[in-house]
């Protein structure tokens, strides 16, 4: 069993750390937010993720999972350090590497053992090379460092399940022995392993996310056409999905993709395409189509009221960017609330987990009461069988029975 440190306790870092402790490794997670670390130490996850709290509490109890703000303390016994910090989008679409660079410097200045640094964050091609150079240039101890790329494929809301049942583990290494150690680290998961060089591993992640995002935009455009032609798009998706070359997954039409990954990663790979003189026209179109999907939905609602929603009560079911998460990043709900309120509507919303917005009501009944129209925005299970007594329901996720 290994001694591991994880920098960053966001989605990816926290879930990775917790699962590694669950499979027997000793893990210390580092975050510079002291308040967050104090909460984590009590076994409470700051994010809503089914199953995570239980695994955290269990592994803290058996002394396999620790949290700290102190890099030196975490690196003292560790031979493996994960980087799992954010790579937000900068103004031109490129991934912002500020947090990654800082993590590299923190590693260089605090490691005391030979270390394998594993890059979990989604980073542009060439970043692992760059980070290895930054670490080596800033090292204060005489130790050996290898950087290995190991992109993450978990989905929010299914994160624990996805780590244990993933389709593959991608390991991109320049030094074979370093790749072998990463393979051993995950061996208890018994998942297919893909070994590549670092640059290919980095590209696998972006190309996968961009492909899935494109698949969603594709079915959304087909859905719009189906609606005009009185065709049931769900039957179309089922019929297409049975072709194993296509597959049914990610063919659910609706308001389009949101969240912390697809919007930013499609922009980042599109930026790489433009930068290298090979614009990714399909991905660029998928991005446009995704935004268009929200606009189209908004216009359906506005058109129903002949463009005048002033004083109208609009009920909104679901706020999170998808079910089983409390994440609002790039959520279509935020766009719709902003636009509807700009037009003078009063929005009342209900989400089983998101409770902090000014528009939030305590119950579905509070949303439906006196609503002039109801918008279904997130496909939480509890909305699926619901009977809504309202003359106008806009189903943004194709889940309500007619
Ligand atoms: C996504 C990928 O699925 C993960 O493999 C990847 O690890 C992660 O990004 C990441 O890069 O970290 P996530 O953003 O958590 O995961 O959520 P998804 O379940 O993929 O959904 C993304 C968006 O697509 C959501 O807004 C969802 O509503 C939308 N979607 C998904 C559809 O509109 N239709 C579909 O059929 C599927």
């Amino acid at each position: 069993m290994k001694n591991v440190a994880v920098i960053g306790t966001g989605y990816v870092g926290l879930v990775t750390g917790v699962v590694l402790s669950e499979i027997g490794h000793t893990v210390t997670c580092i975050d510079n937010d002291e308040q967050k670390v104090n909460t984590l130490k009590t076994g409470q996850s700051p994010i809503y993720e089914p199953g995570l709290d239980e695994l955290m509490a269990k592994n803290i109890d058996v002394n396999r999972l620790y949290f700290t703000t102190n890099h030196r303390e975490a690196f003292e016994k560790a031979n493996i350090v994960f980087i799992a910090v954010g790579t937000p989008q900068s103004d031109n679409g490129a991934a912002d590497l500020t947090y990654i660079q800082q993590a590299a410097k923190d590693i260089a200045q605090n490691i005391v053992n030979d270390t394998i640094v594993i890059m979990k964050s989604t980073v542009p091609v060439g970043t692992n090379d760059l980070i290895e150079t930054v670490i080596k240039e800033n090292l204060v101890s005489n130790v050996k460092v290898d950087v290995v790329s190991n992109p993450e494929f978990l989905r929010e809301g299914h994160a624990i399940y996805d780590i244990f049942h993933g389709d593959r583990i991608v390991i991109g290494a320049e030094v074979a022995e370093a790749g072998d150690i990463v393979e051993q680290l995950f061996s208890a998961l018994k998942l297919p392993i893909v070994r590549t060089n670092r640059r290919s591993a980095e590209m696998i992640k972006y190309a996968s996310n961009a492909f899935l995002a494109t698949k969603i935009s594709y079915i959304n455009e087909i859905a719009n056409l189906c609606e005009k032609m009185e065709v049931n798009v769900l039957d179309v998706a089922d019929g297409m999905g049975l072709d194993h070359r296509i597959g049914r997954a990610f063919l659910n039409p609706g308001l389009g993709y949101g969240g912390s990954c697809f919007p930013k990663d499609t922009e980042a790979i599109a930026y790489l395409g433009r930068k290298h003189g090979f614009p990714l026209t399909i991905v660029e179109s998928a991005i446009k189509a995704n935004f268009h999907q929200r606009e189209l939905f908004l216009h359906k609602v506005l058109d129903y009221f002949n463009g005048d929603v002033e004083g109208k009560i609009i009920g909104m079911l679901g706020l999170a960017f998808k079910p089983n998460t409390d994440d609002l990043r790039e959520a279509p709900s935020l766009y719709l609330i902003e636009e509807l309120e700009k037009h003078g509507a009063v929005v009342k919303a209900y989400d089983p987990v998101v409770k902090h917005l000014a528009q939030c009501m305590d119950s579905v009944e509070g949303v439906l009461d006196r609503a002039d129209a109801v918008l279904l925005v997130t496909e939480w299970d509890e909305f699926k069988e619901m009977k809504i007594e309202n003359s106008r329901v806009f189903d943004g996720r194709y889940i309500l029975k007619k």
Side-chain angles (χ1 to χ4, degrees):
M1 288 302 145
K2 307 265 188 261
N3 199 309
V4 180
V6 181
I7 306 178
T9 61
Y11 241 100
V12 170
L14 183 56
V15 174
T16 304
V18 171
V19 169
L20 285 171
S21 68
E22 174 67 12
I23 61 176
H25 304 294
T26 302
V27 182
T28 308
C29 298
I30 312 160
D31 204 289
N32 47 20
D33 179 340
E34 198 161 339
Q35 209 179 335
K36 190 175 181 188
V37 166
N38 286 338
T39 310
L40 288 164
K41 280 180 177 167
T42 67
Q44 273 174 287
S45 155
I47 47 175
Y48 174 83
E49 182 63 41
L52 187 59
D53 279 327
E54 292 83 337
L55 285 191
M56 272 176 71
K58 178 179 157 195
N59 287 290
I60 290 171
D61 260 7
V62 296
N63 297 324
R64 278 201 305 259
L65 183 59
Y66 300 90
F67 298 93
T68 181
T69 51
N70 186 317
H71 290 83
R72 181 57 64 93
E73 181 187 317
F75 297 159
E76 220 152 48
K77 295 201 191 94
N79 294 100
I80 295 181
V81 177
F82 279 86
I83 299 181
V85 295
T87 49
Q89 189 179 322
S90 40
D91 292 344
N92 59 3
D96 175 349
L97 299 180
T98 315
Y99 300 121
I100 299 273
Q101 297 260 16
Q102 185 55 47
K105 286 186 187 139
D106 289 336
I107 291 171
Q109 283 158 10
N110 291 291
I111 49 172
V112 285
N113 306 307
D114 290 351
T115 302
I116 294 176
V117 174
I118 306 182
M119 181 70 78
K120 264 280 168 219
S121 307
T122 300
V123 290
V125 175
T127 307
N128 278 271
D129 301 346
L130 173 81
I131 289 314
E132 189 166 277
T133 309
V134 173
I135 296 176
K136 286 183 174 163
E137 279 175 3
N138 289 279
L139 271 180
V140 294
S141 305
N142 185 19
V143 294
K144 189 168 161 285
V145 176
D146 286 306
V147 176
V148 175
S149 168
N150 171 230
E152 187 50 67
F153 300 102
L154 61 83
R155 295 163 300 166
E156 290 186 22
H158 300 267
I160 304 287
Y161 177 90
D162 282 355
I163 292 208
F164 282 105
H165 301 90
D167 293 321
R168 76 300 205 191
I169 292 175
V170 174
I171 299 173
E174 302 307 311
V175 175
E177 296 74 36
D180 294 345
I181 291 173
V182 180
E183 209 171 319
Q184 283 162 23
L185 186 69
F186 292 115
S187 61
L189 296 176
K190 299 195 172 26
L191 296 175
I193 304 278
V194 180
R195 293 284 292 263
T196 68
N197 65 18
R198 288 196 297 227
R199 297 172 79 87
S200 306
E202 292 166 329
M203 187 53 113
I204 288 172
K205 169 70 191 213
Y206 273 117
S208 300
N209 270 7
F211 184 84
L212 292 170
T214 304
K215 201 172 173 188
I216 297 168
S217 280
Y218 180 81
I219 198 65
N220 280 336
E221 291 208 318
I222 296 292
N224 299 340
L225 181 62
C226 285
E227 200 169 304
K228 280 275 170 276
M229 302 185 74
E230 293 178 33
V231 173
N232 183 340
V233 65
L234 296 181
D235 290 343
V236 175
D238 289 344
M240 286 169 66
L242 282 171
D243 184 329
H244 74 273
R245 294 169 303 176
I246 299 174
R248 180 62 179 80
F250 284 71
L251 284 182
N252 294 323
L255 276 160
Y257 59 80
S260 64
C261 306
F262 287 175
K264 134 180 112 59
D265 294 346
T266 45
E267 291 288 356
I269 194 173
Y271 169 83
L272 285 181
R274 290 193 299 272
K275 185 175 157 197
H276 292 276
F278 285 97
L280 300 176
T281 55
I282 296 175
V283 178
E284 304 257 13
S285 299
I287 295 171
K288 276 195 205 114
N290 191 54
F291 189 66
H292 182 58
Q293 212 55 23
R294 297 174 182 193
E295 291 179 314
L296 208 67
F297 188 77
L298 172 72
H299 284 287
K300 268 188 206 164
V301 180
L302 293 177
D303 288 350
Y304 174 70
F305 293 105
N306 295 319
D308 182 13
V309 288
E310 181 75 44
K312 297 281 187 246
I313 300 178
I314 308 290
M316 188 173 281
L317 295 177
L319 289 165
F321 84 94
K322 64 171 191 172
N324 298 319
T325 176
D326 58 355
D327 200 335
L328 281 171
R329 285 175 285 179
E330 300 290 328
S333 62
L334 298 182
Y335 166 82
L336 292 170
I337 291 174
E338 190 183 334
E339 290 298 321
L340 288 165
E341 289 185 345
K342 236 190 252 168
H343 283 82
V346 178
V347 179
K348 293 184 180 180
Y350 172 79
D351 187 284
V353 177
V354 180
K355 303 284 181 197
H356 66 280
L357 297 189
Q359 293 78 7
C360 285
M361 309 295 290
D362 293 336
S363 65
V364 173
E365 291 69 38
V367 164
L368 300 183
D369 182 37
R370 292 183 299 121
D372 293 299
V374 177
L375 319 188
L376 190 300
V377 176
T378 315
E379 68 277 31
W380 285 93
D381 274 346
E382 64 186 79
F383 299 151
K384 288 184 180 163
E385 298 300 323
M386 193 178 277
K387 284 207 174 64
I388 303 177
E389 308 282 340
N390 192 293
S391 58
R392 198 49 179 151
V393 178
F394 295 85
D395 182 358
R397 296 293 177 181
Y398 291 78
I399 59 157
L400 296 171
K401 303 226 161 57
K402 291 281 175 227

